[in-house]
Amino acid sequence: MQFTLSSKFKPAGGQPQAIKLLVEGLKKHPMQTLLGITGSGKTFVMANVIEQYQKPTLVLAHNKTLAAQLYAELKELFPENRVEYFISYYDYYQPESYLPTTDTYIEKDAQINQQIEKMRLKATSSLLARSDVIIVSSISCIYGLGDPGDFSQLSVLLKKGAQMKRQDLISQLVKMQYERNDQAVEPGKFRVRGDVIDVIPAYDDRIVRCELFGDTIDRIDEIDPITGELIASVDELRVFPAKQFVVADEKQERAVEAIKEELKEHLPTLPPLEQERLRRRVKYDLEMMQEVGYCPGIENYSRHFDGRAPGTPPFCLLNYFPDDFLLIIDESHQTLPQAHAMYKGDFARKKNLVDFGFRLPCAFDNRPLKFDEFEQFFRHVIFVSATPAEYELKKSGQVAELIIRPTGLLDPLVEVRPIQGQIKDLIREINQAVRREGRVLVTTLTKKMAEDLTDFLSKEGIRVRYMHSEIESLDRIEIIRQLRAGEFDVLVGINLLREGLDLPEVSVVAILDADKEGFLRNERSLIQTIGRAARNVDGRVIMYADVMTESMQRAIDITRKRRAAQEEFNRKSGIVPRQIQKPVAQKTRELKGIKHLSRSDVLKRIADIDAQMRRAAEELQFEKAIELRDALRLLQEQAGDAND
């Protein structure tokens, strides 16, 4: 199937030239850079390049919030094609580690988000089943994943009229890690009723019903699991495994022998205590693998299951793509340094585990890609950034600039105001923006300052929320949606309000302590933060500072230079800047916890639930009162933990 871009808009401003350069460049240069400012329509340019290139595409973002936004936008632009989402599926993750100074072993502890795990499975399944696939991913794409050959080989093709015995199909589903449940069928499970087998793929919501007539597949239907109604009848359909890591029986047998051999070779290199510790660990793991096909930390033996030589790169999402796929690295000035750092941090942690007898050396090969290994996939790459770093500019065969916005919007005006009295001045600016139905972003340097500021603004009667790294990725999306919908007016953050956020309602961006030179206040960070106000026709940026640093001056000069070029283009073209009109997404989830709320808002919520509970008890609605009591206790516990 072909990529088909669906949009009522046509390329405008600087977009047509950028698209032309990039598409032509894909035939000449392995690497290119799109230098695109905020609000210039970089995502729309990407979409047009994808449509013209017609190859599977990986769009790489440096954080989950930006990845989610790109996923939503590309899904809207390509409704007839597969657009998938691939990020880390951990809500909580404590890696296995050992601290020799205190002789402390920390066992791996993790909480997996089932919805994200399902989306990851759907991404890999789509890549192996179709060619019109766009995957939006975080840096998780360079981390170890199951062998795509095994994942594809263990899948089962259901084809109308094909010969397949009932027991063979059931056995194949079990090998693919599907569980049998004849009462209620859920994703990753199947049920059997006579010659009818219902299975819900682990990456889907629809029931796949396979009806057999003797040893022949007579009919294949897709069924709505809620209503039981027929969605479609198909002639063939491939069902992929329910887990990312699946291994054929013969490979598992070979892996067990290889693990035993490595243990035999490695034990003599360790002191007696470490020898005994490792011998017990590996013996237990092997027994678990042979009995139940799994053991805690099985990923540390992945090299043996894959049949890889020591030191060779692991399989990852990139291996699921064909050789000529398109790789778009968004906000490359942030994403590439991330890719550089991943391997070294992982190696440092595992070295202690191996040296002190907690893991075999093969654990080193369960890792993210090294940067030079990642570069092997840079065959058709577009780096996208408003502030590309030296690496991108040096490696790129060409740089396509995208400075003119199709809407005629100008870069925002930038003011510098003294730190003395900055909070009073900020409150005045917030009130003015709210009266004009605008929104405000405030960036601080520390989490403590952001929390205190959020609490102070809340007490002043301002509807404010706080976004930080402890808030789940899907909750961050909901917070941004609420800001756009006007459910609150001010969002305070530290480092999450910079790159890529598309918030046309934001008319004021306040940068507190702008003169504190450092990572959060260098030239690139300031330019990116200034860009958050560039999608609003009245956008303004206020820097609170007592000293004009070099980074501030360069950021202001670049912004003014771009604004002048945009004004000149608008004048020559007769364009009047117009406000971006972007629909607000529908609410899809309730926010969990209280981490996004100020302390005063939490106390108000506790008081409100307490009043509702007492009122329900007075009205003899005891079941409702009990539910409210439990909610109140949970809220009080969370508030206590937050205060601690």
Side-chain angles (χ1 to χ4, degrees):
M1 191 171 180
Q2 297 283 301
F3 283 110
T4 305
L5 178 61
S6 176
S7 175
K8 62 182 179 181
F9 300 107
K10 299 293 182 186
Q15 293 174 343
Q17 180 65 13
I19 294 166
K20 182 182 177 184
L21 280 173
L22 293 171
V23 172
E24 291 175 354
L26 287 171
K27 302 170 186 173
K28 307 173 187 175
H29 312 293
M31 302 182 215
Q32 304 177 79
T33 292
L34 173 61
L35 196 162
I37 61 173
T38 301
S40 57
K42 295 190 289 291
T43 306
F44 191 57
V45 169
M46 291 183 210
N48 277 272
V49 172
I50 291 169
E51 185 188 38
Q52 293 190 37
Y53 187 57
Q54 288 293 326
K55 299 291 182 183
T57 300
L58 173 63
V59 181
L60 180 55
H62 76 281
N63 68 46
K64 297 176 182 179
T65 307
L66 178 56
Q69 181 175 295
L70 286 168
Y71 168 67
E73 291 174 352
L74 289 169
K75 202 168 181 64
E76 187 177 335
L77 289 168
F78 291 98
E80 297 178 13
N81 306 108
R82 285 287 179 87
V83 180
E84 310 293 4
Y85 188 51
F86 189 96
I87 63 172
S88 170
Y89 51 26
Y90 293 117
D91 282 339
Y92 168 76
Y93 182 65
Q94 169 63 59
E96 181 185 27
S97 57
Y98 176 67
L99 308 176
T101 53
T102 57
D103 190 27
T104 305
Y105 172 70
I106 302 171
E107 195 172 358
K108 176 183 173 181
D109 186 19
Q111 182 178 342
I112 291 176
N113 186 306
Q114 299 300 327
Q115 178 61 26
I116 294 177
E117 182 182 26
K118 184 175 172 182
M119 296 173 88
R120 284 167 60 101
L121 270 169
K122 191 174 181 184
T124 51
S125 302
S126 295
L127 279 170
L128 295 176
R130 300 174 60 147
S131 60
D132 60 324
V133 180
I134 301 169
I135 308 291
V136 181
S137 173
S138 67
I139 201 65
S140 293
C141 68
I142 70 169
Y143 275 76
L145 207 59
D147 183 344
D150 288 340
F151 194 75
S152 179
Q153 182 184 344
L154 283 171
S155 66
V156 59
L157 177 64
L158 304 176
K159 194 170 184 178
K160 191 175 178 180
Q163 294 294 303
M164 181 170 287
K165 293 182 179 179
R166 174 179 175 274
Q167 190 56 45
D168 289 347
L169 178 54
I170 293 172
S171 298
Q172 186 64 26
L173 288 171
V174 172
K175 285 182 182 178
M176 291 160 59
Q177 302 291 313
Y178 284 88
E179 297 177 17
R180 181 168 177 173
N181 185 332
D182 288 342
Q183 302 305 314
V185 65
E186 301 168 351
K189 297 183 179 180
F190 70 97
R191 69 183 171 206
V192 181
R193 293 177 176 173
D195 285 339
V196 177
I197 298 175
D198 289 343
V199 56
I200 298 187
Y203 45 86
D204 207 345
D205 293 318
R206 293 175 292 185
I207 295 174
V208 174
R209 176 164 292 168
C210 179
E211 297 184 17
L212 298 169
F213 185 78
D215 293 338
T216 304
I217 297 177
D218 187 51
R219 183 183 175 96
I220 305 168
D221 293 333
E222 292 182 337
I223 308 291
D224 187 302
I226 306 299
T227 64
E229 294 179 356
L230 176 68
I231 297 173
S233 291
V234 295
D235 290 333
E236 69 175 56
L237 187 145
R238 185 173 291 277
V239 178
F240 287 94
K243 302 290 182 185
Q244 205 75 68
F245 295 92
V246 286
V247 181
D249 291 341
E250 59 272 16
K251 271 196 172 185
Q252 182 165 319
E253 291 169 7
R254 289 201 301 268
V256 167
E257 293 305 314
I259 293 167
K260 289 179 180 178
E261 185 63 30
E262 184 182 10
L263 177 65
K264 182 179 177 182
E265 292 175 1
H266 185 61
L267 279 178
T269 68
L270 296 174
L273 175 63
E274 283 73 13
Q275 283 187 25
E276 183 61 23
R277 177 187 288 157
L278 184 62
R279 187 183 291 109
R280 289 188 178 190
R281 160 60 69 87
V282 175
K283 181 182 178 183
Y284 173 79
D285 288 348
L286 290 174
E287 287 175 354
M288 287 288 288
M289 286 182 213
Q290 290 170 318
E291 292 299 323
V292 300
Y294 178 81
C295 74
I298 192 172
E299 64 275 6
N300 290 294
Y301 302 107
S302 61
R303 171 164 67 79
H304 293 299
F305 285 101
D306 295 339
R308 292 184 282 119
T312 53
F315 293 108
C316 63
L317 180 68
L318 298 167
N319 295 106
Y320 285 73
F321 284 88
D323 290 341
D324 57 352
F325 80 102
L326 175 61
L327 173 59
I328 299 175
I329 303 180
D330 198 27
E331 305 297 352
S332 57
H333 64 284
Q334 288 277 48
T335 310
L336 291 175
Q338 263 191 349
H340 267 287
M342 293 298 164
Y343 170 75
K344 291 179 181 177
D346 185 79
F347 180 85
R349 177 177 61 81
K350 285 180 180 165
K351 190 172 188 307
N352 281 341
L353 292 170
V354 173
D355 289 349
F356 290 90
F358 290 95
R359 287 291 172 193
L360 285 170
C362 61
F364 285 130
D365 293 308
N366 168 48
R367 58 175 174 82
L369 297 181
K370 300 175 185 176
F371 190 76
D372 61 333
E373 294 167 346
F374 183 35
E375 283 184 304
Q376 300 304 310
F377 294 93
F378 287 13
R379 294 182 283 267
H380 302 283
V381 181
I382 298 174
F383 304 115
V384 181
S385 175
T387 54
E390 184 180 346
Y391 175 89
E392 295 97 285
L393 297 175
K394 183 180 177 181
K395 292 282 188 178
S396 293
Q398 69 173 359
V399 177
E401 289 196 346
L402 185 59
I403 293 174
I404 307 303
R405 298 182 177 89
T407 56
L409 283 173
L410 308 174
D411 272 27
L413 293 167
V414 182
E415 302 176 53
V416 180
R417 297 181 184 176
I419 290 177
Q420 182 70 33
Q422 63 179 354
I423 302 302
K424 285 186 178 180
D425 186 74
L426 175 61
I427 290 173
R428 185 165 57 252
E429 289 292 340
I430 289 171
N431 289 331
Q432 289 177 6
V434 171
R435 280 196 292 271
R436 295 191 296 267
E437 298 186 351
R439 313 282 185 273
V440 180
L441 295 184
V442 183
T443 66
T444 67
L445 282 174
T446 66
K447 180 181 175 183
K448 181 70 166 62
M449 184 178 179
E451 289 174 342
D452 292 344
L453 180 60
T454 302
D455 195 43
F456 182 82
L457 294 177
S458 179
K459 289 176 180 177
E460 292 294 314
I462 293 169
R463 299 188 303 167
V464 59
R465 295 290 182 270
Y466 163 43
M467 188 158 75
H468 54 89
S469 58
E470 292 179 13
I471 294 174
E472 292 180 17
S473 54
L474 297 178
D475 284 343
R476 294 179 201 173
I477 300 166
E478 174 57 19
I479 289 172
I480 290 169
R481 188 204 68 81
Q482 289 182 5
L483 176 69
R484 294 199 58 217
E487 295 181 27
F488 62 94
D489 303 309
V490 181
L491 182 58
V492 181
I494 306 166
N495 195 33
L496 298 174
L497 304 179
R498 286 168 41 196
E499 285 86 358
L501 292 184
D502 187 358
L503 304 169
E505 294 80 10
V506 171
S507 58
V508 176
V509 172
I511 305 175
L512 302 186
D513 300 311
D515 55 358
K516 302 299 186 289
E517 188 83 63
F519 169 67
L520 294 176
R521 296 293 183 264
N522 62 26
E523 178 187 340
R524 284 196 179 91
S525 294
L526 290 172
I527 290 174
Q528 291 287 349
T529 306
I530 288 168
R532 297 318 102 214
R535 299 177 189 270
N536 191 288
V537 72
D538 299 316
R540 289 186 306 123
V541 176
I542 304 168
M543 294 184 180
Y544 291 100
D546 289 332
V547 179
M548 179 66 77
T549 64
E550 290 184 11
S551 294
M552 288 173 61
Q553 189 63 64
R554 286 196 298 268
I556 292 170
D557 289 345
I558 289 172
T559 302
R560 286 174 178 168
K561 182 179 177 182
R562 290 174 176 174
R563 184 180 174 93
Q566 293 155 2
E567 287 177 326
E568 178 67 14
F569 180 85
N570 288 352
R571 186 183 61 78
K572 288 181 178 179
S573 306
I575 296 175
V576 177
R578 63 182 189 276
Q579 176 66 42
I580 293 174
Q581 301 295 329
K582 183 180 178 182
V584 179
Q586 294 293 318
K587 185 172 184 175
T588 57
R589 67 188 275 119
E590 293 292 336
L591 284 175
K592 298 179 182 177
I594 59 172
K595 291 179 179 177
H596 60 291
L597 298 173
S598 67
R599 285 186 288 271
S600 56
D601 281 338
V602 172
L603 294 175
K604 288 177 187 175
R605 182 171 290 188
I606 288 173
D608 182 52
I609 293 177
D610 183 72
Q612 290 180 46
M613 177 188 69
R614 295 178 186 279
R615 186 162 56 251
E618 289 173 1
E619 294 172 357
L620 305 183
Q621 298 179 19
F622 298 119
E623 290 184 0
K624 182 178 179 182
I626 290 170
E627 290 177 3
L628 289 166
R629 180 202 63 190
D630 294 342
L632 180 63
R633 285 178 178 173
L634 179 61
L635 199 57
Q636 288 170 334
E637 287 174 8
Q638 291 174 336
D641 292 341
N643 290 332
D644 292 342

